[in-house]
């Protein structure tokens, strides 16, 4: 079993865990954050952020279909086509970029982050 010595153990790298870890480190504490999957938590990885990307795409599609002629746009009588694979890749790349921003934030704050599971025994 691996042994660590820190002032604070943060379990979970979601929004609350990230804030707690960085704030504690800013006060001079030696902080370890253990995250099971990807930094950012549910909202960033599978909830709010990816949902907003998909909603924005749907909104753009709806605007193109119903409103563009009202604003003087002409598509030559063809419908806009969605490349769903490209949209999904862009969404996933955006989430990965956010994961990286959080990881860099840990480095800059002096927080040690590891991926795995932990608990109290």
């Amino acid at each position: 079993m691996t042994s660590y010595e820190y002032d604070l153990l943060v379990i979970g790298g979601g929004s609350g865990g990230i804030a707690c870890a960085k704030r504690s480190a800013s006060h001079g504490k030696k902080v370890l954050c253990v995250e099971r999957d990807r930094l950012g938590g549910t909202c960033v990885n599978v909830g709010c952020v990816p949902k907003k990307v998909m909603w924005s795409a749907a909104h753009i599609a709806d605007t193109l279909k119903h409103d563009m002629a009202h604003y003087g746009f002409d598509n030559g009588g063809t419908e806009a086509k969605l490349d769903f694979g490209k949209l999904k890749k862009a969404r996933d790349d955006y989430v990965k970029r956010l994961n990286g921003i959080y990881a860099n934030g840990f480095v800059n704050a002096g927080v040690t982050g590891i991926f795995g599971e932990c608990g109290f025994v």
Side-chain angles (χ1 to χ4, degrees):
M1 177 182 274
T2 305
S3 176
Y4 298 96
E5 287 194 30
Y6 288 89
D7 298 316
L8 177 66
L9 167 65
V10 177
I11 301 175
S15 58
I18 290 170
C20 177
K22 289 175 67 177
R23 175 65 59 95
S24 298
S26 76
H27 289 283
K29 300 302 177 188
K30 186 175 177 187
V31 180
L32 171 68
C33 180
V34 180
E35 169 55 44
R36 175 180 33 184
D37 193 8
R38 297 174 289 169
L39 291 174
T42 298
C43 180
V44 168
N45 293 297
V46 296
C48 313
V49 172
K51 183 261 320 178
K52 287 177 183 172
V53 170
M54 302 306 279
W55 184 90
S56 292
H59 180 70
I60 291 167
D62 187 63
T63 300
L64 288 172
K65 184 174 183 177
H66 298 290
D67 297 328
M68 86 176 187
H70 298 294
Y71 292 96
F73 291 96
D74 181 7
N75 63 353
T78 63
E79 281 194 30
K81 302 243 185 279
L82 172 65
D83 182 339
F84 188 80
K86 186 174 182 178
L87 172 61
K88 182 183 178 312
K89 183 178 180 333
R91 179 198 67 195
D92 294 346
D93 288 348
Y94 181 61
V95 169
K96 286 179 188 172
R97 181 174 158 263
L98 294 176
N99 297 144
I101 289 169
Y102 291 127
N104 287 335
F106 271 4
V107 170
N108 293 336
V111 173
T112 301
I114 62 172
F115 291 98
E117 294 187 3
C118 69
F120 298 99
V121 291

